[in-house]
C-alpha cells in the first residue's frame, strides 16, 4: 500500500506444490479429482468457484474439464483452488484502506494529486482518471478467449482386430466417443498403416494379420484331414457293398 493512495488487494494463491502432489497421487490411484476455478470464464458462461474434473497434471499445468463444458482446458496452478470455499474467498472483493488505516468505501475516488498519481493512468493513456480495479487489464478474459478456441481436445483413432478378416475403427474427441465403431477389412487396415509409414504400427498390424492367417490355415488343414477321413470311410463302405453284391 502506498503512503497516500488506495489499492485493492486480491489473493493470488492457488494450488500449492503439496496440493499438486496430492492430486497427482489421487489420479494415479484411479480416483475422481475435483478442483474449483478461481476466476470466472465469461466466454464459456462459467462463474468463479465452478468445479472442474482433473484429467492430468504436468508440472504446474492442470488439464481439467469444468462442469458444463465438454472439453479439456489447461489451467495454471494459481488459477485453481482445492476447495469451493477457497475459490469463493479468493474472488470476494475486499475493503480498501486509506493511508490512515481506516476502511474506505470501494467507490471512493482519489482526492489528492499524489493519490491520483498512484491510482490512475495519465489522460493520454486512459482518457480519464479511474480506480486501480477499473484500469487493470482484463488478463482473465484474454486467457479465457484463448482457451475457448475449438479443437483443443485431442482426437484419437483406435483400430481393433475383431477376427481373422474384420477390424473395427472408433474415434474419440477428448473423452467423447464420436459415433459407432466402423468395420473394415484386414487388408485396408494394413494398407492404411503403410500409408502412415509408422514401422511400429505396421509391425503390430502385420503380426495380428499373420497370426489370424496361420489360424485360418490350420483350420483348413484340419478340415482337409476330416474330409480325407470321410472319403476313406465312404470308399470302404462302397467296397463292402460291392463285395456283398
Amino acid at each position: 500500500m502506498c503512503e497516500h493512495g488506495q489499492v485493492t488487494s486480491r489473493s493470488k494463491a492457488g494450488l500449492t506444490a503439496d496440493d499438486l502432489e496430492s492430486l497427482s497421487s489421487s489420479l494415479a490411484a484411479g480416483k475422481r479429482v475435483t478442483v474449483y476455478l478461481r476466476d470466472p470464464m465469461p466466454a464459456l458462461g462459467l462463474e468463479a468457484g465452478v468445479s472442474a474434473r482433473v484429467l492430468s497434471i504436468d508440472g504446474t499445468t492442470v488439464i481439467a474439464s469444468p462442469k458444463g463444458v465438454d472439453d479439456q482446458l489447461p489451467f495454471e496452478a494459481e488459477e485453481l483452488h482445492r476447495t469451493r470455499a477457497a475459490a469463493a474467498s479468493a474472488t470476494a472483493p475486499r475493503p480498501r484502506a486509506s493511508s490512515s488505516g481506516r476502511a474506505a468505501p470501494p467507490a471512493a475516488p482519489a482526492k489528492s494529486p499524489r493519490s491520483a498519481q498512484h491510482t490512475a493512468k495519465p489522460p493520454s493513456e486512459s482518457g480519464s482518471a479511474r480506480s486501480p480495479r477499473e484500469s487493470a487489464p482484463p488478463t482473465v478474459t484474454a486467457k479465457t478467449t484463448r482457451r475457448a478456441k475449438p479443437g483443443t481436445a485431442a482426437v484419437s483413432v483406435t483400430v481393433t482386430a475383431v477376427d481373422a478378416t474384420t477390424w473395427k475403427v472408433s474415434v474419440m474427441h477428448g473423452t467423447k466417443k464420436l459415433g459407432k465403431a466402423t468395420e473394415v477389412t484386414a487388408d485396408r487396415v494394413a494398407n492404411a498403416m503403410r500409408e502412415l509409414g509408422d514401422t511400429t504400427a505396421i509391425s503390430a498390424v502385420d503380426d495380428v494379420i499373420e497370426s489370424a492367417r496361420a489360424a485360418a490355415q490350420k483350420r483348413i488343414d484340419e478340415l482337409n484331414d476330416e474330409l480325407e477321413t470321410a472319403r476313406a470311410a465312404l470308399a470302404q463302405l462302397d467296397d463292402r457293398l460291392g463285395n456283398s453284391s
Side-chain angles (χ1 to χ4, degrees):
M1 182 177 70
C2 61
E3 181 181 359
H4 296 285
Q6 298 173 341
V7 296
T8 300
S9 61
R10 183 179 183 182
S11 173
K12 291 294 183 182
L15 297 178
T16 64
D18 291 340
D19 290 335
L20 293 172
E21 183 177 355
S22 175
L23 294 176
S24 297
S25 299
S26 298
L27 284 176
K31 298 180 181 180
R32 183 186 179 91
V33 179
T34 302
V35 292
Y36 300 88
L37 306 189
R38 189 195 69 190
D39 300 311
M41 299 177 68
L44 297 180
L46 300 178
E47 298 180 353
V50 168
S51 63
R53 181 181 180 182
V54 176
L55 303 175
S56 64
I57 299 175
D58 183 8
T60 60
T61 300
V62 179
I63 304 300
S65 179
K67 182 178 180 181
V69 178
D70 187 18
D71 203 351
Q72 302 175 9
L73 306 177
F75 296 91
E76 288 302 314
E78 66 179 14
E79 298 177 294
L80 303 170
H81 282 285
R82 188 72 181 272
T83 64
R84 189 188 302 274
S89 63
T91 57
R94 300 183 179 182
R96 294 178 294 177
S98 65
S99 58
S100 62
R102 295 192 298 270
K111 295 182 179 181
S112 67
R114 185 171 182 179
S115 297
Q117 293 175 2
H118 288 284
T119 61
K121 295 181 179 180
S124 59
E125 297 181 11
S126 63
S128 60
R130 295 178 293 180
S131 68
R133 180 179 294 275
E134 292 173 338
S135 61
T139 55
V140 175
T141 303
K143 290 183 179 180
T144 299
T145 303
R146 172 174 55 81
R147 295 191 190 113
K149 291 182 179 179
T152 55
V155 175
S156 58
V157 179
T158 304
V159 183
T160 307
V162 179
D163 52 39
T165 59
T166 306
W167 294 60
K168 283 190 176 182
V169 178
S170 57
V171 181
M172 299 281 290
H173 184 248
T175 58
K176 182 179 180 181
K177 185 176 181 180
L178 302 180
K180 296 181 179 180
T182 303
E183 290 189 359
V184 295
T185 57
D187 61 315
R188 295 180 65 184
V189 174
N191 291 336
M193 294 302 103
R194 283 170 172 73
E195 287 292 333
L196 291 175
D198 188 293
T199 56
T200 302
I202 292 173
S203 177
V205 170
D206 285 349
D207 287 346
V208 174
I209 294 177
E210 182 59 32
S211 178
R213 182 184 179 282
Q217 184 62 51
K218 181 180 179 181
R219 181 56 179 159
I220 290 174
D221 294 341
E222 292 174 349
L223 292 174
N224 284 333
D225 291 341
E226 292 178 6
L227 180 59
E228 290 299 326
T229 301
R231 284 175 176 172
L234 179 60
Q236 290 178 359
L237 291 174
D238 288 342
D239 289 343
R240 289 178 183 177
L241 289 176
N243 292 334
S244 63
S245 61

